[in-house]
Amino acid sequence: MKHCLDVNELSYDAVIRLIERALVFKHATVWPAYPRKILANLFYENSTRTRVSFELAAKHLGMSVVNVDVARSSEQKGEQQADTIKTLASMGVDIAVIRHSEAGMPKTLADSAPQNMHVINAGDGAHAHPTQALLDVMTIMEHKPQWPDLKIAVVGDIRHSRVAHSLQALCQLLKMGELVFVGPESWLPTAMPYGRATTSLSEGLAGADVVMTLRVQQERLLAGEHLDLSRYRQDYALTQATLAYAKPDAIVMHPGPLNRGIEIDNDVADGPQSCIWQQVHNGVFMRMAIIEALLV
Ligand code: NCD
């Protein structure tokens, strides 16, 4: 694998291999070491779990890590982002992990990067978040070995969610059962390459095996798309009462960050069906598997 930019670039077998490898890392007592390799994190947007899990994943593999402080970098002096990548490659950086508010920016930078540089997309605009989708599917498969027959409901602002877009692409690739997007009309996707959409939470969640709820992404909403938050809560919040629409053994997922009391209640986020912290835990091992696949 040269870069990790979009799940659409992966084959069925490549996805299964990454998940199997991540599970090996999760249960192993020793990990392979790549001590001469260097990973740089370039986060042009805020992040806690994605940035830290890339750092930990690289350190677990014996690599050096540079966290580029983009707000204080030479880009503030007018340097182009492509030149930042060339500068890092010239100093021996092997992998650039890029998060950017502009859709397509990691790919643009990968296309102009020096031959020896690998690029990982850590989330670009509302477009894609491949490493999140991979860790989400890993988590689903751990809990639900009958994953081809699942009903997976994703609730919230689907239209602006790179997490939902990459999960959809991965579900399509793996033929992962029935995928249902649930949300208010203005937040549902305009195109539906896989799965279906509904504005009804009770219908969307009925009989679901997996319920993923998304953060209300205030920063991505356009004028006219803003919703009354208390109205949103009333219609779409994941509470003990609404979770009861799903199967009793349904797992609850959320990519984070959580807006407790808006899209999800405390007793659901911290309840027995929640896999939210396991998603974060699995993220480190999935990112180890992705980094290794780029290096070998
Ligand atoms: C998401 C992101 O930044 O795309 N978080 C994450 O990476 N785990 C989702 C979000 O910001 O709501």
Side-chain angles (χ1 to χ4, degrees), residues 13 28-29 65 70 80 90 92-93 99 107 125 129 131-132 144 156 179 193 196 207 216 221 248 257 273:
D13 289 346
T29 46
V65 178
V70 287
Q80 290 182 359
S90 304
V93 170
R99 166 168 290 191
K107 172 153 174 47
H129 197 348
T131 66
Q132 180 71 42
K144 305 283 177 191
L179 178 66
R196 64 181 179 88
V216 175
L221 299 179
Q273 288 166 266

Side-chain angles (χ1 to χ4, degrees), residues 236-254:
Y236 296 104
L238 209 52
T239 65
Q240 292 279 21
T242 58
L243 182 58
Y245 296 133
K247 283 193 185 152
D249 66 345
I251 57 167
V252 171
M253 302 176 72
H254 190 310

Side-chain angles (χ1 to χ4, degrees), residues 112-239:
S112 65
Q115 256 309 309
N116 53 345
M117 178 67 102
H118 305 277
V119 174
I120 299 178
N121 179 4
D124 59 331
H127 174 236
H129 197 348
T131 66
Q132 180 71 42
L134 286 161
L135 75 90
D136 288 341
V137 168
M138 169 187 175
T139 308
I140 293 171
M141 287 182 175
E142 266 187 308
H143 283 271
K144 305 283 177 191
Q146 76 288 17
W147 53 267
D149 304 318
L150 300 179
K151 177 174 179 182
I152 302 171
V154 184
V155 185
D157 178 8
I158 313 296
R159 192 179 292 182
H160 303 100
S161 171
R162 53 194 176 205
V163 174
H165 296 148
S166 286
L167 183 66
Q168 182 182 38
L170 213 42
C171 286
Q172 181 170 25
L173 179 69
L174 301 176
K175 298 200 173 47
M176 256 184 118
E178 185 190 354
L179 178 66
V180 185
F181 291 124
V182 187
E185 193 72 53
S186 59
W187 287 359
L188 289 176
T190 42
M192 189 65 74
Y194 187 74
R196 64 181 179 88
T198 174
T199 55
S200 161
L201 186 67
S202 56
E203 194 256 310
L205 261 52
D209 302 278
V210 177
V211 180
M212 179 186 287
T213 186
L214 302 170
R215 180 176 67 89
V216 175
Q217 305 173 106
Q218 311 259 21
E219 78 280 12
R220 291 202 203 291
L221 299 179
L222 306 170
E225 288 178 334
H226 275 278
L227 282 195
D228 174 352
L229 278 186
S230 57
R231 181 70 208 274
Y232 179 79
R233 227 193 108 62
Q234 200 183 312
D235 292 343
Y236 296 104
L238 209 52
T239 65

Side-chain angles (χ1 to χ4, degrees), residues 247-265:
K247 283 193 185 152
D249 66 345
I251 57 167
V252 171
M253 302 176 72
H254 190 310
L258 305 178
N259 283 163
R260 289 170 180 267
I262 299 181
E263 71 267 4
I264 191 163
D265 275 6

